[in-house]
Amino acid sequence: VLGTLKLNREFGMFEGEITWCGEKVSLMLEVNPENKSTWTRARNAAKKLVADCDTWDKAMRTFAAKALTQLANDWQEDDEDHKNDEPITEEIFAKRLSLSELTVTSGGSFTAYYDDDDMFWGHAVEVCGSLKKGVTSAGIVG
């Protein structure tokens, strides 16, 4: 499910690539390189996310759209080339996102980084949450 993961001891992460909803994305598992139980917990959390990627992806996109669509419209108004475009709806916002990287911790928390399709001039949309609490926050980074 997770493919081949390579341990980067310097950063305390396993790195690899997974298929998420039919697309290839980077996967990072944050672990303690000296504690193999963290490896297992992070892998198991990532497997749960990937196994139910359609549900998780929809939840992350929906949460980000509710939190950030108004901000995207504000940025669009400030963009000379696009200020007269149709307003961005939550549905359009969610469709324009594309997942580029997923980071999962041994505690079951995750951070998903979506490409913004230039709605925020090339910044990434960051969506955070956990297996237990679901999606909890969304913002722009970069």
Side-chain angles (χ1 to χ4, degrees):
V1 172
L2 302 182
T4 302
L5 300 171
K6 185 175 180 179
L7 179 60
N8 181 330
R9 287 190 177 275
E10 182 179 346
F11 294 108
M13 290 188 168
F14 277 99
E15 302 169 339
E17 194 174 77
I18 56 169
T19 300
W20 180 268
C21 300
E23 299 294 323
K24 293 283 187 198
V25 301
S26 295
L27 174 68
M28 308 290 181
L29 302 180
E30 291 183 9
V31 298
N32 177 342
E34 309 308 319
N35 182 346
K36 289 193 177 182
S37 70
T38 65
W39 302 12
T40 301
R41 290 195 314 269
R43 267 195 328 265
N44 288 342
K47 284 179 184 177
K48 287 177 184 175
L49 287 165
V50 172
D52 203 10
C53 68
D54 291 330
T55 301
W56 281 107
D57 193 64
K58 182 178 180 186
M60 289 188 273
R61 288 171 184 274
T62 300
F63 191 99
K66 286 187 184 316
L68 300 171
T69 297
Q70 182 56 54
L71 185 60
N73 281 303
D74 293 345
W75 281 56
Q76 181 174 283
E77 287 176 18
D78 290 341
D79 185 347
E80 288 297 320
D81 294 333
H82 297 284
K83 67 180 177 181
N84 294 320
D85 290 359
E86 288 290 317
I88 300 167
T89 65
E90 288 182 14
E91 183 178 334
I92 290 169
F93 183 99
K95 286 180 180 176
R96 288 178 67 178
L97 297 177
S98 61
L99 187 67
S100 59
E101 181 180 311
L102 180 64
T103 301
V104 182
T105 71
S106 59
S109 296
F110 60 81
T111 304
Y113 296 94
Y114 287 87
D115 291 330
D116 73 339
D117 192 31
D118 226 18
M119 290 183 287
F120 300 109
W121 307 343
H123 291 70
V125 173
E126 176 186 76
V127 180
C128 302
S130 70
L131 291 172
K132 288 183 180 177
K133 295 180 182 177
V135 181
T136 57
S137 68
I140 57 173
V141 294

